[in-house]
Amino acid sequence: MRALVYTAPHHVELQDIPRRIPVLGESEIAVTAAGICGSDISGFLGHSRRRVPPMVLGHELIGRRQDGKRVVVNPLISCGRCAACLSGAQNLCSTWRLLGMDRTTGCYAEFVSVPETQIYSVPDDLTDARAVMAEPLANIVHLFRIAAPLPFFRMGIVGGGTMGSLALLTALRLGVREVLVQDVSEVRLEVARRLGATLAVNVSTEQGRGDAQGFAGHGLDLVLDASGNTAARQAAFDLCRPGGLVVLLGLSQEHSEIDFVTSIRKEHRVAMSFAYTPVDFERSLALLTAGEIDLSPWTVEMPLEDGQKAFDRMTTAPGDTLKMLLRVN
Ligand SMILES: [Zn+2]
Ligand SMILES: [Zn+2]
């Protein structure tokens, strides 16, 4: 089968690789389209210890099962038997694995085999572009379930990429009172304004940082770091009100130095959000099916054959592209 193989940092190439026979309990999916995620990009750049070449990346997909049904796949595979799984926290499973990570082949390929329990049918009127968002949006559903914001909350979002934008749209569905988005990319801030941010500021300037603090006033109830670099993490704490909640989602840097004494004096609460459970995935899919969350105007599609070009674009000049789709079949 055709597959896009990550062969070395900054390099992917189309190869013909053997098609894996599904084992008992698995179904084979013919992949229609697959999304490029931030974690695939960090793998492509050689920044992920758990994505070592040669391997097939990719975990966001829409495809068809052998019975012809159009389906999406929850790519986070948990054991179903450990204490975490049995308590409903499958994202914390002691042996979780993800398509396109470690030894699990990803979905930048014509076919992928996954446990039957990971597969969800989708209606025909849910477009490929929206269906592929089921996995990224599930992360956002999960973090709001952890954060459980109170009515009329005021929120800050640090980082206006795919995750920040999905968080913005979800916060609006939840009735956020006011929401600030901060980023250093003017095109992304323009997208945030169009999506409904109360204020979108460029924090690469002194003026922008002042505007953000002015908006925050005595601080925001909930602040999300959707970036993962140290400056962004610290910015999330700086925007948070005393007693407010900072949610850390971004994974880009492993270590960060944070001004903890200031945060302790403000009694900041901190939550870290990782991935999603099957319940989050189902809720995400329901939001997309209902058309309540939609980033398709900022989704770009390229054929699997142009994988190198697609990855280069997303790493060097994504502009206002919030999701890149690779068309497989
Ligand atoms: Zn993803
Ligand atoms: Zn488990």
Side-chain angles (χ1 to χ4, degrees):
M1 65 172 177
R2 287 178 304 128
L4 189 71
V5 180
Y6 165 48
T7 51
H10 299 269
H11 201 77
V12 285
E13 65 179 53
L14 202 70
Q15 292 182 1
D16 195 36
I17 65 165
R19 182 170 161 185
R20 189 168 72 79
I21 315 276
V23 299
L24 190 69
E26 283 188 341
S27 258
E28 185 181 65
I29 312 291
V31 180
T32 311
I36 295 182
C37 180
S39 59
D40 297 311
I41 292 170
S42 101
F44 170 80
L45 293 172
H47 296 164
S48 168
R49 276 185 274 146
R50 295 182 67 177
R51 291 175 173 87
V52 180
M55 71 174 299
V56 177
L57 298 169
H59 57 265
E60 303 172 357
L61 75 128
I62 167 88
R64 274 187 200 277
R65 203 159 48 185
Q66 276 151 323
D67 61 8
K69 281 224 167 72
R70 229 168 132 250
V71 296
V72 292
V73 169
N74 172 353
L76 188 82
I77 303 164
S78 51
C79 77
R81 286 185 299 273
C82 72
C85 281
L86 292 173
S87 72
Q90 291 87 346
N91 59 323
L92 306 179
C93 172
S94 51
T95 57
W96 67 267
R97 55 198 183 93
L98 184 76
L99 295 186
M101 195 172 184
D102 302 320
R103 294 293 92 200
T104 307
T105 302
C107 62
Y108 299 151
E110 269 182 285
F111 299 95
V112 66
S113 288
V114 294
E116 188 61 41
T117 48
Q118 305 293 122
I119 301 172
Y120 297 80
S121 294
V122 296
D124 283 337
D125 61 353
L126 181 66
T127 62
D128 291 345
R130 276 193 283 138
V132 161
M133 299 308 280
E135 195 268 349
L137 181 60
N139 291 272
I140 302 300
V141 169
H142 183 72
L143 84 83
F144 276 109
R145 204 153 62 76
I146 290 178
L150 293 170
F152 314 117
F153 65 111
R154 295 175 76 232
M155 182 174 182
I157 297 172
V158 181
T162 314
M163 287 305 180
S165 301
L166 288 172
L168 168 59
L169 290 174
T170 308
L172 291 166
R173 300 299 307 167
L174 289 171
V176 70
R177 183 86 183 101
E178 290 183 308
V179 56
L180 163 77
V181 175
Q182 61 177 51
D183 202 293
V184 292
S185 153
E186 216 32 74
V187 275
R188 287 192 159 172
L189 291 166
E190 196 43 49
V191 174
R193 287 178 199 114
R194 289 187 54 190
L195 292 177
T198 317
L199 180 68
V201 291
N202 192 328
V203 288
S204 63
T205 66
E206 194 67 48
Q207 166 84 41
R209 289 189 291 272
D211 289 350
Q213 284 301 337
F215 177 89
H218 76 291
L220 301 167
D221 302 304
L222 168 63
V223 188
L224 168 68
D225 169 47
S227 151
N229 69 60
T230 297
R233 285 173 179 151
Q234 183 62 58
F237 284 95
D238 293 343
L239 290 170
C240 189
R241 71 165 166 82
L245 177 66
V246 173
V247 177
L248 301 172
L249 177 75
L251 289 167
S252 50
Q253 286 183 340
E254 288 196 7
H255 300 270
S256 287
E257 194 175 302
I258 298 294
D259 170 7
F260 277 112
V261 170
T262 301
S263 274
I264 291 167
R265 287 188 179 133
K266 288 184 178 174
E267 270 192 3
H268 280 152
R269 290 175 299 129
V270 181
M272 306 201 185
S273 185
F274 174 67
Y276 43 84
T277 70
V279 170
D280 300 318
F281 193 89
E282 276 179 46
R283 285 193 182 162
S284 161
L285 194 53
L287 285 167
L288 293 161
T289 302
E292 293 182 35
I293 306 274
D294 188 9
L295 285 185
S296 27
W298 295 280
T299 302
V300 170
E301 192 181 300
M302 289 172 84
L304 186 67
E305 288 69 19
D306 290 344
Q308 180 72 43
K309 232 187 268 176
F311 268 97
D312 286 341
R313 170 161 166 180
M314 292 313 283
T315 49
T316 56
D320 65 357
T321 303
L322 292 179
K323 182 55 68 183
M324 173 66 74
L325 277 196
L326 294 173
R327 172 68 48 184
V328 184
N329 276 308

